[in-house]
Amino acid sequence: MARPIEFDREQALRNAMLIFWRQGYHKTSVRDLTEATQLQPGSLYGAFNNKRTLFLQSLDYYSTGLDETVEQVLRNDQPPLSRIENFFELILSDPEMKG
């Protein structure tokens, strides 16, 4: 019987997302991913199957977080101009949102 997952999947996806973000898909090695996620290669493959799947899941993680953040900033009780200003301030101040 397989052992239960004993790591924070969300944190691993976030760390993988950041390393892919900094280095790009092709320049990111499995070793880079194991260091970033603090998972052994076998655990990395056991949890995510392969590098491509980890990349796609980290994109989904980023997209979901971005959607939630944008929704919070743009859909509230502030005047429309304030919401737009807050949106652009967020983009300029948050390194994870910059391309």
Side-chain angles (χ1 to χ4, degrees):
M1 185 165 150
R3 290 177 45 193
I5 295 175
E6 298 179 10
F7 69 96
D8 185 340
R9 185 177 185 86
E10 188 171 311
Q11 185 64 42
L13 286 171
R14 181 181 187 286
N15 291 345
M17 176 197 72
L18 292 173
I19 196 80
F20 282 128
W21 190 282
R22 284 192 297 266
Q23 298 181 183
Y25 177 79
H26 291 292
K27 290 185 180 177
T28 300
S29 68
V30 172
R31 182 179 188 144
D32 295 329
L33 292 168
T34 59
E35 288 174 7
T37 61
Q38 298 180 357
L39 295 172
Q40 296 298 318
S43 297
L44 188 72
Y45 283 108
F48 300 104
N49 297 322
N50 56 45
K51 178 181 162 181
R52 184 174 191 279
T53 300
L54 176 54
F55 177 72
L56 293 174
Q57 288 184 20
S58 69
L59 279 178
D60 286 343
Y61 171 82
Y62 172 76
S63 177
T64 300
L66 181 61
D67 289 347
E68 291 170 1
T69 301
V70 169
E71 186 76 21
Q72 289 173 358
V73 170
L74 294 179
R75 299 201 186 275
N76 58 49
D77 295 333
Q78 293 181 334
L81 185 57
S82 294
R83 288 185 266 166
I84 293 169
E85 288 172 350
N86 291 339
F87 171 76
F88 285 108
E89 285 176 13
L90 175 69
I91 289 174
L92 294 173
S93 67
D94 188 344
E96 289 182 19
M97 297 186 80
K98 293 179 185 175

